[in-house]
Amino acid sequence: MHDPTPLDEIDQFAEEADVIILGYGIAGACAALEARRAGGDVLVVERTSGAGGASALSSGIFYLGGGTEVQKAANYKDTPDNMYRSMIASMGPGQADLIRRYCDGNVKHFEWLEAQGIPFERSYYPDKTVFLNGTQGLMWSGNEKVWPFRDAATPAPRGHQVAMEGDASGAAAMEALVARCNEAGVRTIFDTTATSLIIDESGKVCGVTVRQFGERRHLHANRAVIVATGGYGRNEKMLARYFPGLPDTAEPMGVPHTDGSGINMAAEAGGDVRGMDGLIATASIYPPPQLVKGIIVNSRGRRFVAEDAYHGRTASFIMEQPDQRAFLIVDSEIFAYPEIVGANHSLVDGYETTGEMELGLGLPPGSLAHTLETYNAQAALGRDPLFEKHADWLKPLTSAPWAAFDISFNRSTYYYITLGGLRIGPDARVQRRDGKFVEGLYAAGACTAHLSPDGKSYASGMSLGPGSFFGRIAGREAMSTPD
Ligand SMILES: Cc1cc2nc3c(=O)[nH]c(=O)nc-3n(C[C@H](O)[C@H](O)[C@H](O)COP(=O)(O)OP(=O)(O)OC[C@H]3O[C@@H](n4cnc5c(N)ncnc54)[C@H](O)[C@@H]3O)c2cc1C
């Protein structure tokens, strides 16, 4: 369906531009602005009736650091090297070249985002949370304070939230970027779906075939095409192929058009993909933060993750447990209901003894009693030798009655985004399997492999941050491609 269209089969082009960008979310908007400011005639092709994509629905958290003004205002020291060490420790060296470029360019990138009119407050939210309803500019949004990552680099908060009330601050970022695109003279065609790339006899991408109101049209790109069409969380076939264990209870996040079409088009034109089985899922147990003081056990009554981990990391470990089952156990001192009601973590029951709890949860006799006894003894000393949960979250769970929430991957509602995608180099060019590049083709955003390969290493903001950063690079580099 996404087979490339050979150039010599085309009689007539409906439009032409120096750079054609597919998708008008954050990656597309940033690419468009930079290409236009580099002097290009830029055309954005968007299948819906307006700009925004998943970016406009998002919580507006950008993972940024290295010593931004917001970090400084909150008295946190961070440097590009420190950020790099932190990211490599959690995300691994697979995309070290992209991570290096990202960290080195972060402070300037933050300044650029602000200069476009995206508001970031000089204020800080210290508690553990998933997103903010307020306008604070800085939050902890990943595993920076979680072992072993806290030993690899000095922990620093890097979640930079756009200042807008409510949990969808991404809209304010898109509003500013689209306004700048309009002022700069970026051209757009809406209600138009890109269906395949056009390649010449040498394999260079030189345009795109689209469907517009039922008609097939061809658009010529004098210099390059940039794919910025988002992820594949809504593509049933791709989900079945890459995530066979995904239960029906899991819900994709994003817009209906995150169907992987850009990835498939670029792959058909020679682009390679990486990390397609990567997924970040969330049904966070926190807020309230006090629940992190509880323990999470599997159907054997054993702990398997540090409960203070970033929610996506916890979810990834839960996915790997027998039958994907897990329970959050709390005592009466810290009892509270998880605040994110959409996660549907149901209270199983309250119990006067651990024996009753084992019976009620179907755990092997004595298993939970043993886990609690060991955990409580160490927690009383401020230690967790098994998983190194931070001392801030350690407290013996000794105040009966206890309560258990069912947080199983296949019973609660876990919301996910896909993390795999096109393989790009640090200059946002799409790579072939042999390491060479597809001439005339760039990509950025959620249609490319995220810097974090999986939910264990993801941090909130790792989509908008790198998507905007590499989108800008794609725009500039596309204009440096000879016409
Ligand atoms: C509720 C929610 C909260 C989130 N919060 C955060 C957060 O705080 N921080 C963070 O980093 N990430 C967050 N994410 C994830 C993040 O929003 C996305 O991964 C990111 O916005 C992707 O940006 P993008 O520009 O690559 O794609 P998108 O913003 O999805 O834009 C892609 C565009 O391409 C268009 N398109 C698709 N196919 C075609 C085609 N064939 N032809 C033409 N157009 C096409 C789509 O219609 C869409 O407009 C959140 C996601 C959701 C849903």
Side-chain angles (χ1 to χ4, degrees):
M1 180 195 164
H2 297 296
D3 287 351
T5 316
L7 179 62
D8 56 16
E9 284 181 12
I10 298 170
D11 299 329
Q12 202 187 352
F13 284 100
E15 281 279 357
E16 68 169 309
D18 292 328
V19 178
I20 297 181
I21 297 169
L22 312 182
Y24 207 174
I26 194 144
C30 289
L33 257 184
E34 291 287 33
R36 180 73 190 128
R37 286 174 183 167
D41 173 25
V42 178
L43 180 67
V44 181
V45 177
E46 166 58 50
R47 74 198 281 176
T48 65
S49 303
S55 306
L57 291 179
S58 75
S59 308
I61 303 164
F62 289 66
Y63 191 87
L64 299 167
T68 66
E69 289 303 320
V70 181
Q71 288 180 311
K72 282 186 198 159
N75 285 324
Y76 276 98
K77 275 210 173 122
D78 197 12
T79 63
D81 281 344
N82 189 54
M83 183 180 179
Y84 178 78
R85 280 197 301 277
S86 171
M87 287 179 71
I88 291 288
S90 62
M91 295 163 198
Q95 299 200 84
D97 47 355
L98 275 79
I99 293 176
R100 183 79 253 180
R101 183 155 190 189
Y102 186 60
C103 294
D104 287 348
N106 242 244
V107 170
K108 285 259 175 290
H109 182 54
F110 170 74
E111 288 167 2
W112 184 89
L113 291 169
E114 275 205 316
Q116 308 319 306
I118 303 178
F120 291 98
E121 263 185 28
R122 276 27 175 187
S123 57
Y124 168 58
Y125 185 85
D127 272 340
K128 211 164 166 57
T129 192
V130 176
F131 52 79
L132 300 171
N133 280 311
T135 55
Q136 294 90 339
L138 191 64
M139 63 186 282
W140 295 93
S141 72
N143 288 302
E144 295 81 5
K145 288 202 278 189
V146 175
W147 186 86
F149 315 115
R150 63 174 177 250
D151 292 347
T154 307
R158 301 201 179 91
H160 287 60
Q161 195 223 194
V162 177
M164 187 179 127
E165 297 280 350
D167 64 357
S169 316
M174 283 310 295
E175 195 182 355
L177 290 169
V178 171
R180 299 296 85 75
C181 283
N182 290 339
E183 284 162 14
V186 168
R187 295 192 292 131
T188 48
I189 332 182
F190 293 110
D191 301 308
T192 302
T193 304
T195 54
S196 64
L197 296 173
I198 300 168
I199 53 173
D200 70 13
E201 63 287 350
S202 73
K204 178 179 186 283
V205 173
C206 51
V208 58
T209 299
V210 300
R211 202 178 52 247
Q212 190 181 38
F213 303 118
E215 281 194 32
R216 192 166 179 254
R217 292 173 195 270
H218 307 293
L219 315 177
H220 188 260
N222 299 330
R223 290 179 189 265
V225 172
I226 300 174
V227 184
T229 45
Y232 47 100
R234 303 272 178 163
N235 183 316
E236 295 292 334
K237 270 194 186 157
M238 290 171 87
L239 291 178
R241 174 169 176 197
Y242 296 114
F243 311 106
L246 206 59
D248 292 345
T249 48
E251 294 271 348
M253 288 168 87
V255 287
H257 302 111
T258 43
D259 66 354
S261 57
I263 299 174
N264 293 326
M265 256 179 272
E268 294 291 346
D272 191 16
V273 291
R274 66 178 293 151
M276 295 300 284
D277 57 353
L279 183 97
I280 148 87
T282 179
S284 184
I285 57 165
Y286 60 83
Q290 73 205 59
L291 290 176
V292 169
K293 293 183 179 169
I295 58 167
I296 297 176
V297 297
N298 62 16
S299 58
R300 313 280 197 268
R302 296 196 191 122
R303 288 176 71 217
F304 52 88
V305 64
E307 292 81 2
D308 61 345
Y310 172 70
H311 50 92
R313 182 170 172 81
T314 302
S316 294
F317 280 103
I318 292 176
M319 285 160 84
E320 292 170 358
Q321 299 312 303
D323 302 324
Q324 301 183 320
R325 299 280 281 151
F327 299 101
L328 168 67
I329 312 289
V330 295
D331 73 357
S332 62
E333 230 179 275
I334 58 165
F335 180 86
Y337 284 91
E339 282 173 19
I340 300 184
V341 287
N344 291 316
H345 293 319
S346 57
L347 174 68
V348 186
D349 212 341
Y351 306 92
E352 290 299 332
T353 67
T354 47
E356 277 174 32
M357 190 153 41
E358 284 160 359
L359 207 62
L361 301 179
L363 308 180
S367 61
L368 188 56
H370 175 74
T371 297
L372 272 170
E373 199 180 310
T374 320
Y375 178 81
N376 287 344
Q378 295 294 339
L381 304 172
R383 295 197 309 229
D384 175 26
L386 255 189
F387 296 106
E388 300 290 349
K389 179 168 159 179
H390 197 283
D392 288 354
W393 304 112
L394 290 171
K395 152 205 137 59
L397 301 170
T398 44
S399 301
W402 291 272
F405 291 94
D406 190 337
I407 60 169
S408 301
F409 195 70
N410 48 15
R411 304 220 174 175
S412 299
T413 310
Y414 281 78
Y415 300 87
Y416 63 87
I417 61 170
T418 53
L419 295 177
L422 294 166
R423 181 192 292 268
I424 57 166
D427 51 6
R429 297 177 75 184
V430 175
Q431 281 183 330
R432 294 182 183 276
R433 220 176 261 176
D434 63 7
K436 293 186 183 144
F437 294 99
V438 182
E439 291 301 321
L441 187 63
Y442 297 81
C447 66
T448 65
H450 281 68
L451 299 179
S452 350
D454 53 27
K456 287 179 184 167
S457 60
Y458 190 82
S460 295
M462 286 304 306
S463 256
L464 297 180
S468 54
F469 183 81
F470 289 104
R472 290 180 59 205
I473 291 176
R476 289 197 300 267
E477 292 288 334
M479 275 306 292
S480 71
T481 308
D483 58 6

